[in-house]
Structure formats: structure tokens, C-alpha cells
Amino acid sequence: ARRLLTRPGPSATADFSAADATDVLATLHNDVRVLVVGAGGLGCELLKDLALAGFGRLDVIDMDTIDVSNLNRQFLFRAADVGKPKAAVAAAYIRARVPGLTVTPHVGDLTRRPPEWYAQFNLIVAGLDSIDARRWLNATLVSLVAVDPDTGEVDRSGLIPWIDGGSEGLMGQARVILPRLSACFECTLSMFDTPKTYPLCTLANTPRLPEHCVEYAHVVEYPRAAPFGAGVAFDADNPNHLTWLTDAAAARAAAFHIPGVTRRLAAGVVKHIVPAVASTNAVIAAACAVEAWKLATCAAGPLRNYVMVNGTAGVYSYTYETERRGDCEVCGGGGVPRTELLDALAAEPALRTRSPVLRVAATGALVWAAEGPPALVEATRGNAGKRVDALLERGGELIVTDRAMGGARTVVVTWP
Ligand SMILES: [Zn+2]
């Protein structure tokens, strides 16, 4: 870490100064407070990575207790820890392994903490397994960032960068969210699939996989046979129900000569369980920890802003920038900033404006005058920081005049 901080490099951000290495490491150790959300498969990796990277003040929150099935990958836990709270055991392990750190556990539900509680941290790194928990955290972190309703200017003093990791089997993703500055979790909610379902015609007529047989037994045969009485819903946590399901699925699989139906598979299908893969967690947590370190030290620019890793066929990785949605229910309201409107008009091949004068077609109101009588130019300066939706309805018409164009054009302005 010291070596990375003592030399400038092409990746360093404008705020980076190599001379400050000792100070930066001291700040990392003494002052930067990082909250790790979740002490499960990703959380164990994150705590280890962050502690070894020089972060000295870690907090970890998790409501779960340790189950014997966690021990294969949640390596901060031992058999003797089964039944104990994950956050407390993980914190104690890190403290013992990396002396000199402050690691504070919080056992409980993250959604029960008020926004002020989150405001005490400088960085949040999350390894959650629930979309709902992420949505809650997202709304909380966005709410901490105030926005001037007139100018749309973001008050960065309340901004806490959030690095979010997630994994599912051999696939994972890491992302950096700067609430109200970059795409928030809600902006990109549509990226997340609903649990996998199979077409009923496949299940009924052409099953090819053991999963098809399990799903058929679950959605078709169980309601028809009502083996535990009419109206008794299937309960995946009831061992008798699971036994019945496994037997029914195995019988159907035998009829279609499909191997591979087991009780474990049946439980996985009906509970939509994707097996956790330790190495995926390690890769994703490492990416998240590096982003936290870069944000805290300015040694390199942050990830913009989403990276996915797919190990299902070879190893494939892809980085791209998710975009804010102007109408996002959480961080939007929104629309595109004015400068983006001017850029868009300048870039539009049919317009190519250079010094445009813009009026709202419906009202004649002057929105922008890049040139003309000084009083007019001055009068529209106040619109400089405003967002388009403060000036114009979405889909509204704008009359654009520009010397470069010659004559006026009517432009329909809309945004996502
Ligand atoms: Zn959003």
C-alpha cells in the first residue's frame, strides 16, 4: 500500500499527492470509517481485504447467526461458532488477526437503523444477498444527500460513496454508487431478473432437465394430488413436503429417462437457491475493496461504475457505466442538466448549434440566449444551473435559433 501511495502515476486522480503517503496511510488507519454491510460470504472476504489494505476503523452489521452450512466459505467462522452472531464473530476474528484495528460489530437488521446512523461513516461497502435490502440502503443513502430544489445542485457534504458487491453462483458484480451523482441502485433495478421460471409447456410436454421435473411436480402435481390435504400450500421448509416433492419429481424424471433428481436439487429449485461459490465471492470482494481504497486515497480513479464477472464459461468480465434515470423514484427529479441540453443540440446533426437562443414554443418564454442583447443574455444566466424539467415539460417543443443554422427550428425535447 505504501509503495502505491509514494509514486504518482497516470491513474492517479487530480487530488492525489505522492508526498502525502504517510498522512494518507494514517488517515486510512485512524479516520476513515468504513461500514461493511453483511458478514456472510462476501462480508468475510470484504473484512479481510479492507483490514489488510490498511483500513483501521471498520464496522460490520449483520442480523444472521452462523449456520454449519456457512463454514465452507465464510472463513472467519469455525465449527464452535455455529449459532453465534456473524457480525460479532467476524469482528473478533479480524481484531485478533490484524492487531491495532477497531472493528465494531452491530448485530441486527440494517433497515432498523435511522439515516443518521449511516451518516457517521465515510464509506459503505455492502455484500448483501437481497435486492430489498439494497433498495432500502439505496433510499437511505440518497436521502442523506440534499439537493437545492431551484438549481438542482447537489450538496456533497452528505454524500457517502457506496460500493456494492453481489454474487450468484459463478457470476458476480461490483459497482460504485455516488448517491445523486451516479446511477443509484433503483435507477438500474430492471437489470435484476425475477427468479427463473420455466415455460409450462416445456414442463408438461418436453422436460429435459431434472429441474423441469421438480418444477412440474411443484406447480402441477402438488396442487392436483394435495398430498397433505386440500388447500395445504407447499412448504419448502417442511421435510415431509420436500420428501413428497422429491419422490414425485423422481418418478416423472424416470418416465422421461432424465437423471439427476435429488432432494438437494429439489430444495434448490423450489427455494430458488443458487449455490454460493467461494472464489466468486473472493473476486468480487477484492474488486470492492480496491474501489474503497481508491476512493479513500485518490491513488486512482474509481470504477465507472459497474463491473460484472461471469465464470460460467471461461472467465468473462465487462465494465460499463450505468446511467441515472431522470425519472428515478429515488434519486431522480431529474431530467437532464441544462449543459446536456446544449451539448445535445450542438451534437444533433440537423442542428449543430453554436450560440443558440432557445424559447419554449408553448409560452414563448426565453430559456437561453447565448448571444444577442446583453440584457437578454444576462436574463437567462439564471437558468444555467437548472434542470431541463424545471423549464420545459417532457416532450415539450423548443424553438431553436442559431446563426450557424440560419432560421429557426422547432425541436421536441425529451429525456429518459
Ligand atoms: Zn436513481
Side-chain angles (χ1 to χ4, degrees), residues 366 368-382:
L366 187 66
W368 188 250
E371 60 178 17
L376 274 188
V377 172
E378 198 50 44
T380 60
R381 281 290 168 263

Side-chain angles (χ1 to χ4, degrees), residues 132-145:
D132 289 345
R134 284 191 180 88
R135 293 181 74 181
W136 187 91
L137 184 61
N138 183 60
T140 299
L141 296 181
V142 170
S143 76
L144 290 171
V145 185

Side-chain angles (χ1 to χ4, degrees), residues 138 142 182-188 324-325 328-332:
N138 183 60
V142 170
S182 66
C184 81
F185 187 76
E186 203 78 16
C187 285
T188 57
R324 277 187 85 185
R325 260 196 307 121
C328 172
E329 297 79 357
V330 174
C331 78

Side-chain angles (χ1 to χ4, degrees), residues 10-55:
S11 305
T13 69
D15 297 328
F16 177 78
S17 162
D20 295 339
T22 308
D23 288 350
V24 171
L25 287 173
T27 303
L28 218 54
H29 190 268
N30 302 324
D31 303 318
V32 179
R33 292 196 64 189
V34 183
L35 174 66
V36 175
V37 181
L42 275 168
C44 285
E45 290 278 355
L46 287 169
L47 285 165
K48 175 260 288 175
D49 290 348
L50 293 167
L52 294 175
F55 286 96

Side-chain angles (χ1 to χ4, degrees), residues 177-407:
I177 294 176
L178 305 174
R180 290 211 199 268
L181 293 184
S182 66
C184 81
F185 187 76
E186 203 78 16
C187 285
T188 57
L189 195 61
S190 59
M191 292 197 309
F192 293 88
D193 298 336
T194 45
K196 192 181 209 171
T197 54
Y198 302 102
L200 198 59
C201 56
T202 302
L203 300 181
N205 304 320
T206 53
R208 298 179 309 280
L209 300 171
E211 288 86 348
H212 293 159
C213 301
V214 173
E215 195 67 0
Y216 184 81
H218 180 213
V219 301
V220 178
E221 293 182 359
Y222 181 88
R224 193 182 286 160
F228 300 98
V232 177
F234 184 81
D235 177 4
D237 292 317
N238 182 322
N240 296 330
H241 289 205
L242 200 54
T243 300
W244 183 91
L245 183 80
T246 308
D247 292 345
R252 184 167 174 80
F256 285 91
H257 308 290
I258 298 168
V261 170
T262 62
R263 186 182 177 88
R264 188 185 172 92
L265 176 97
V269 170
V270 292
K271 290 182 178 182
H272 302 291
I273 294 172
V274 177
V277 176
S279 52
T280 308
N281 284 340
V283 168
I284 296 302
C288 291
V290 167
E291 289 311 312
W293 200 82
K294 289 195 295 186
L295 283 169
T297 62
C298 301
L303 167 70
R304 293 210 176 83
N305 47 29
Y306 186 104
V307 60
M308 61 81 83
V309 177
N310 188 341
T312 48
V315 180
Y316 175 73
S317 172
Y318 182 57
T319 302
Y320 63 101
E321 186 157 5
T322 57
E323 292 185 357
R324 277 187 85 185
R325 260 196 307 121
D327 61 349
C328 172
E329 297 79 357
V330 174
C331 78
V336 270
R338 176 205 58 84
T339 50
E340 289 183 22
L341 174 66
L342 291 184
D343 290 347
L345 294 173
E348 170 59 43
L351 300 172
R352 297 221 178 273
T353 56
R354 272 188 235 135
S355 312
V357 176
L358 311 176
R359 281 179 194 280
V360 179
T363 61
L366 187 66
V367 171
W368 188 250
E371 60 178 17
L376 274 188
V377 172
E378 198 50 44
T380 60
R381 281 290 168 263
N383 288 340
K386 288 188 186 168
R387 288 172 178 269
V388 164
D389 60 354
L391 306 166
L392 192 69
E393 302 262 297
R394 185 192 314 209
E397 291 184 339
L398 206 56
I399 296 170
V400 181
T401 48
D402 189 294
R403 268 191 306 148
M405 271 165 22

